[in-house]
Amino acid sequence: MNFSELFKQSKHLCKFSPNGQFVANGVQYKLVVRDCQNLQIVNLFTCLDVIESMQWSPDSHLILCGMHKRCLIQIWSLNQSEWTCKIDEGSAGLQSVVFSPDSRHILSTAEFNLRITVWSLVNKSVSYLKYPKNLPKAIDFSPDGSYMALAERRDCKDHISILACKSWNLLKNFQVDTNDMAGMSWSSSGHILCVWDSVLDYKVLLYSLDGRPLMSYSAYDNALGVKSVVWSPSSQFLSIGSYDQMVRILNNMTWKPVARFLHSTSVDSEKVVVYKEIEKRPFAPKPLQPAPAVSNKFAIPSKYELLQGTKVNIPNITPDPEKPDPKLGIGTIAFSSDGRYLATINDNMPKVIWIWSVHKLSLSVVLIQAAPVRTIAWDPKITRLALCTGNNKIYVWTPEGCMSVDIPSEATFQVMSLEWQPQGDCIMLIGKDHMCICYFDQNK
């Protein structure tokens, strides 16, 4: 592994371009675009206010910056530096902003989800979408970019509108059988739309493009329900994580569970490979001995150990029932790029990553970290999982084993999140105020 120098960033605004050639990061009111290979500055743009959100266009030619406090959006072109665009939402406010799949339209959501505005960068036309539901993700584009699903709330009922992204014409509007829809997700094939209810009702629904109900699934009643839903890369499986600390895998033939992955408080290390991170606290040196050499003075050396024994106890915490949104249940689900493995995190076991074999439909590996896991991310090209825990290390797991690597830095750099380059050649490590790029040796 080779690490770049540290670069300043603010609000964790760091993103690779979809084509993998550039990396952009926001520093207060400046937007810096670098070449991904040599990290030389390619473009430097100055916005009208502090950048609060940032997104690349799907074709990697444009990049937008959202200044939510001033209700402004600025779009910059990498190929034509003289071309600029400014969008003012005015009194409606600005809650979120995204590119459309064709990279030539901007969709901005007003405050309180009052409306969604579609701005054309080609002919400057403006259109409005009414009744958007107040969700973290009220719109979702199909993987091929042909359709957009819009979650709506009309007359105290949940609806979904399917629009064609080329013409923005309404293709279908239908009511969904939910009390309070919490989210939706297109299948990887783009033919099926999955909808799930709020945490108060365990209900997962599947609809076709024309609004026909295909399936309704409920595992239990009278308890907190669905927490996360993720499709496999091939759309063959639908994984549902719930508050009962279990992941249910539904197949696309019968839409019934083919496996139930329980996250128990102990595992059998004779059947499952268990790695545990062991920290080696620096000992107090004697008067005439130098201190151990580490990358920075706050670093704590650590390594993985393979646990041997019939039973390994999993560290867990008991959530406070008096607090809302309890740290309980499966909050993170991620399939590997080839669909062979499924990584999950049970929120009341924040230090543990469970890696399941999709082929065998059984638990394969357990990683026990010394600190709660912040972010996990699969390599988009090969079977390789990267994770961080808020310290100066990056952890990488492959089917051959796992390793812990210290980030060489003179300053204190703690990795809070990470993002793979779309081609998988490198990974971006994002700290509180800085970021760096980690390059992998392609010959190994």
Side-chain angles (χ1 to χ4, degrees):
M1 290 184 179
N2 295 316
F3 294 88
S4 72
E5 62 179 294
L6 297 182
F7 298 102
K8 286 187 177 181
Q9 55 85 18
S10 57
K11 300 181 183 294
H12 292 190
L13 295 177
C14 310
K15 292 184 181 297
F16 285 110
S17 61
N19 62 9
Q21 296 182 8
F22 305 102
V23 56
N25 66 288
V27 185
Q28 297 299 321
Y29 57 90
K30 292 184 179 181
L31 176 65
V32 184
V33 181
R34 290 182 170 87
D35 186 280
C36 192
Q37 296 302 319
N38 54 31
L39 297 179
Q40 296 296 315
I41 295 179
V42 178
N43 294 94
L44 180 62
F45 303 107
T46 303
C47 296
L48 297 174
D49 205 340
V50 175
I51 304 171
E52 297 183 62
S53 64
M54 178 183 69
Q55 186 188 9
W56 285 92
S57 63
D59 63 3
S60 301
H61 293 163
L62 303 174
I63 186 169
L64 68 80
C65 298
M67 289 142 281
H68 298 230
K69 292 181 181 179
R70 291 186 59 175
C71 308
L72 289 177
I73 305 167
Q74 285 188 271
I75 300 100
W76 309 95
S77 173
L78 266 66
N79 300 330
Q80 302 175 6
S81 57
E82 69 278 1
W83 183 91
T84 59
C85 175
K86 184 180 75 170
I87 298 174
D88 190 346
E89 271 284 3
S91 59
L94 180 63
Q95 181 168 299
S96 61
V97 56
V98 295
F99 267 108
S100 66
D102 65 357
S103 303
R104 296 300 175 262
H105 292 83
I106 304 293
L107 284 79
S108 61
T109 304
E111 285 187 341
F112 309 108
N113 282 68
L114 295 178
R115 70 185 184 193
I116 294 177
T117 308
V118 182
W119 309 83
S120 173
L121 302 180
V122 179
N123 54 21
K124 299 183 181 180
S125 63
V126 181
S127 56
Y128 300 98
L129 304 176
K130 297 181 179 180
Y131 316 115
K133 187 175 173 66
N134 189 10
L135 292 175
K137 191 177 181 181
I139 57 177
D140 193 22
F141 296 102
S142 60
D144 62 357
S146 300
Y147 306 104
M148 185 190 81
L150 170 64
E152 302 175 347
R153 188 72 173 178
R154 301 186 182 190
D155 301 324
C156 299
K157 298 290 184 181
D158 290 328
H159 292 253
I160 288 181
S161 290
I162 306 295
L163 296 91
C165 291
K166 288 186 177 180
S167 61
W168 298 106
N169 291 330
L170 178 64
L171 301 179
K172 188 69 176 181
N173 177 273
F174 55 92
Q175 183 178 336
V176 294
D177 186 22
T178 55
N179 293 323
D180 185 13
M181 180 169 49
M184 59 183 178
S185 176
W186 287 96
S187 65
S188 305
S189 62
H191 298 152
I192 301 174
L193 185 65
C194 178
V195 178
W196 57 96
D197 216 327
S198 69
V199 297
L200 300 179
D201 296 290
Y202 194 118
K203 185 181 287 186
V204 178
L205 306 162
L206 296 181
Y207 291 92
S208 63
L209 282 175
D210 56 1
R212 289 183 295 110
L214 302 177
M215 183 274 294
S216 177
Y217 176 73
S218 178
Y220 52 81
D221 297 318
N222 303 320
L224 294 178
V226 178
K227 191 166 189 178
S228 54
V229 177
V230 175
W231 289 92
S232 68
S234 63
S235 299
Q236 184 180 1
F237 297 109
L238 177 67
S239 59
I240 306 171
S242 49
Y243 281 88
D244 65 347
Q245 307 179 54
M246 187 178 292
V247 175
R248 292 166 175 86
I249 306 296
L250 277 59
N251 71 90
N252 66 349
M253 300 299 292
T254 63
W255 298 118
K256 293 183 179 180
V258 295
R260 293 175 175 85
F261 297 156
L262 177 63
H263 298 64
S264 59
T265 56
S266 63
V267 295
D268 187 354
S269 62
E270 294 182 353
K271 299 179 180 179
V272 179
V273 179
V274 181
Y275 293 101
K276 185 176 183 179
E277 182 189 9
I278 305 297
E279 290 184 340
K280 295 185 176 181
R281 300 279 176 174
F283 60 88
K286 295 180 180 180
L288 298 179
Q289 288 182 335
V294 292
S295 57
N296 64 65
K297 60 182 179 181
F298 298 103
I300 300 177
S302 69
K303 67 175 183 177
Y304 280 112
E305 288 188 0
L306 184 63
L307 298 186
Q308 303 288 342
T310 57
K311 185 178 180 181
V312 176
N313 293 323
I314 303 298
N316 65 327
I317 58 176
T318 302
D320 187 354
E322 301 297 328
K323 294 184 179 180
D325 191 19
K327 295 295 183 181
L328 175 71
I330 313 303
T332 302
I333 301 177
F335 279 94
S336 60
S337 58
D338 56 6
R340 294 173 53 198
Y341 294 95
L342 176 69
T344 61
I345 297 179
N346 187 6
D347 286 349
N348 57 302
M349 301 175 181
K351 298 181 181 180
V352 183
I353 298 176
W354 309 70
I355 301 176
W356 311 81
S357 171
V358 178
H359 176 68
K360 298 179 181 178
L361 293 176
S362 62
L363 183 60
S364 178
V365 179
V366 173
L367 304 179
I368 303 176
Q369 301 297 130
V373 179
R374 296 268 185 166
T375 308
I376 64 172
W378 286 101
D379 189 316
K381 296 300 181 181
I382 64 175
T383 306
R384 180 166 54 186
L385 180 69
L387 60 126
C388 61
T389 61
N391 55 18
N392 70 318
K393 299 178 180 62
I394 176 177
Y395 306 90
V396 179
W397 174 87
T398 65
E400 289 74 31
C402 57
M403 62 179 177
S404 165
V405 180
D406 288 352
I407 301 171
S409 172
E410 295 297 331
T412 302
F413 180 63
Q414 297 176 331
V415 186
M416 300 299 177
S417 62
L418 42 82
E419 177 188 346
W420 283 98
Q421 185 208 31
Q423 284 69 35
D425 296 335
C426 57
I427 189 170
M428 185 191 308
L429 310 177
I430 304 171
K432 182 180 179 181
D433 299 312
H434 294 83
M435 53 81 73
C436 73
I437 307 294
C438 172
Y439 296 90
F440 290 84
D441 190 349
Q442 301 301 315
N443 297 324
K444 295 184 180 180

